[in-house]
Amino acid sequence: MLKTKQIPTAKDQQKKQATYETDTAPLFGDLELLVNELLQGDPDIKRAISKADTGTRGGYRSLQYHMTKAGVTNVSPEHQRILDTLKLDDDFHQSKASDLKNIEHRSPSYRVKLVFEGNTFRKSFSDLSSAQQWRDHMLIMFSETTNLE
């Protein structure tokens, strides 16, 4: 028996496109400006960068990849200023994501464990940012308590 390949219909294509668009947030701001001006506003590149930025804040790295792939080397001073700003933002978030002091990642949650004056404090969070904020808040409280004595 011969196997035949099913040709997607227009309805299938629309369904696939609708699914693909709901997986990513719209691209905006500096990333969209750079894609529009340096990469001719390619919608596939916009979707790829948006997807990377939504999940892991990897929009800058994805933009760099697509610029290299497209051979974009010369940029205006204004574009370079925007790229430098995006790089600083990316570096900050990368350092923040790697700050796991007193935090244990237990999929799908993050558990903070602090010991102060023989007492153990534990709390679980669904995202790293909340865990870091609570940890930092508690450490400030501990230092203020120590300074009062």
Side-chain angles (χ1 to χ4, degrees), residues 102-135:
N102 298 356
I103 299 175
E104 183 179 345
H105 184 218
R106 292 185 166 200
S107 229
S109 64
Y110 295 87
R111 190 172 105 182
V112 181
K113 179 182 175 186
L114 299 168
V115 178
F116 179 68
E117 294 183 348
N119 296 316
T120 302
F121 300 87
R122 291 186 186 98
K123 191 166 181 180
S124 294
F125 298 88
S126 60
D127 63 291
L128 178 59
S129 177
S130 297
Q132 290 170 329
Q133 287 175 356
W134 185 80
R135 176 206 57 201

Side-chain angles (χ1 to χ4, degrees), residues 5-45:
K5 185 175 180 182
Q6 185 177 4
I7 299 172
T9 65
K11 188 175 181 179
D12 292 335
Q13 291 290 1
Q14 288 173 345
K15 190 175 182 182
K16 182 179 176 184
Q17 183 67 22
T19 303
Y20 190 68
E21 287 175 356
T22 58
D23 289 345
T24 60
L27 192 62
F28 60 92
D30 292 337
L31 290 171
E32 183 174 32
L33 173 78
L34 292 173
V35 171
N36 287 340
E37 294 182 3
L38 301 177
L39 299 168
Q40 291 74 43
D42 186 326
D44 292 332
I45 292 175

Side-chain angles (χ1 to χ4, degrees), residues 26 53 64 75-76 82 87 99 106 120 129-130:
D53 200 46
Q64 288 291 94
V75 295
S76 71
I82 294 169
K87 171 128 179 60
D99 179 15
R106 292 185 166 200
T120 302
S129 177
S130 297

